[in-house]
């Protein structure tokens, strides 16, 4: 494929096959951005998302791979540049959340997987972003309000996301003079398969009541925040935004 001469802003969204990532891809496409919908293993939901975006008049393509592999992360950027001419927005929504388990009971292989996917995956995507985003661009990563809530059972997950928060202001400063912003969104309890998996109705209802708004977040709530950071929010940089309805 040859690079497009279309001046439309171009976004790469990882984790786009479901949950928050899917909602973000849909929202950015509705905002007029061309979207590269990245998925880890299941191509069908990503291809369906691309079909929906293109049917609505947007531009999109799907691309797969494990983004904790730096070579795969680089290949996603190559794909975006070859198809659309470059990248303006990167939203790294891919991640995993294991079932809540006391640290003493975690299998070490599971701890390593959480760190690899959530932390190393973010670093791999961030490295390509700081090298290759165009002027006026935005890198948006994801943490979690679990860090502020300090729920028992989430130690490896919180550790993996704490690292994401730590690098955000550093990257913003490393990009001095480039006109590229770096921010992190920390959703609270959000009604996605990742969050709901393994929780009974009583637990879900209890979590929904904790926020002053007395409901779980919806993927569209988070996509709205990302849309702001990906477009008009040029004076928000190096920040952590908790999108959690006031739960923490």
């Amino acid at each position: 494929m040859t690079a497009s001469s279309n001046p439309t802003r171009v976004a790469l969204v990882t984790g786009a096959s479901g949950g928050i990532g899917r909602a973000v891809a849909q929202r950015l496409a509705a905002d007029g951005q061309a979207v590269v919908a990245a998925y880890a293993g299941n191509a069908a939901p990503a291809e369906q998302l691309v079909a929906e975006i293109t049917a609505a008049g947007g531009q999109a393509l799907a691309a797969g791979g494990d983004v904790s592999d730096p070579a795969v992360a680089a290949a996603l950027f190559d794909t975006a540049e070859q198809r659309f001419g470059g990248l303006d927005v990167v939203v790294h929504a891919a991640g995993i959340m294991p079932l809540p388990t006391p640290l003493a009971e975690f299998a070490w292989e599971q701890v390593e997987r959480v760190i690899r996917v959530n932390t190393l995956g973010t670093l791999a995507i961030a490295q390509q972003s700081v090298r290759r985003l165009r002027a006026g661009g935005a890198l948006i990563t994801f943490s979690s309000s679990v860090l502020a809530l300090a729920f028992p059972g989430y130690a490896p997950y919180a550790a993996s996301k704490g690292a994401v928060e730590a690098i955000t202001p550093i990257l913003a400063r490393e990009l001095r003079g480039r006109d590229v912003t770096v921010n992190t969104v920390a959703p609270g309890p959000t009604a996605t398969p990742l969050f709901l998996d393994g929780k009974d109705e009583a637990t879900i209802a209890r979590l929904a009541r904790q926020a002053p708004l007395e409901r779980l977040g919806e993927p569209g709530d988070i996509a709205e925040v990302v849309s702001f950071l990906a477009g008009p929010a040029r004076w928000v940089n190096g920040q952590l935004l908790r999108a959690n309805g006031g739960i923490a």
Side-chain angles (χ1 to χ4, degrees), residues 26-53:
Q26 290 172 321
R27 175 59 185 262
L28 295 182
D31 291 344
Q33 299 202 35
V35 174
V36 178
Y39 60 91
N42 189 355
E47 295 289 358
Q48 177 60 35
L49 171 65
V50 168
E52 293 172 5
I53 290 172

Side-chain angles (χ1 to χ4, degrees), residues 20 92-97 118 122 140-148 157-166 168 183-188 190 194 222 239-243:
I20 289 172
H92 182 49
I96 60 172
M97 175 186 283
N118 292 353
T122 299
I140 301 154
T141 60
F142 271 78
S143 179
S144 170
S145 289
V146 163
L147 272 72
Y157 179 73
S160 73
K161 293 299 188 178
V164 175
E165 293 186 13
T168 299
N183 293 290
T184 296
V185 178
T190 305
L194 180 69
I222 311 306
Q239 302 302 308
L240 170 68
L241 279 74
R242 291 196 176 104

Side-chain angles (χ1 to χ4, degrees), residues 49-131:
L49 171 65
V50 168
E52 293 172 5
I53 290 172
T54 55
Q59 301 180 73
L61 63 85
D66 178 1
V67 296
S68 65
D69 181 341
V72 172
L76 289 175
F77 281 71
D78 292 342
T79 296
E81 291 171 352
Q82 291 163 9
R83 174 62 179 85
F84 296 117
L87 270 170
D88 305 284
V89 175
V90 173
V91 183
H92 182 49
I96 60 172
M97 175 186 283
L99 295 177
T101 306
L103 181 59
E105 300 172 17
F106 258 102
W108 191 249
E109 294 79 7
Q110 191 175 24
V111 174
E112 290 182 326
R113 181 169 181 259
V114 171
I115 299 299
R116 178 175 60 81
V117 173
N118 292 353
T119 303
L120 297 184
T122 299
L123 286 167
I125 289 293
Q127 185 179 62
Q128 293 299 318
S129 298
V130 299
R131 289 173 175 173

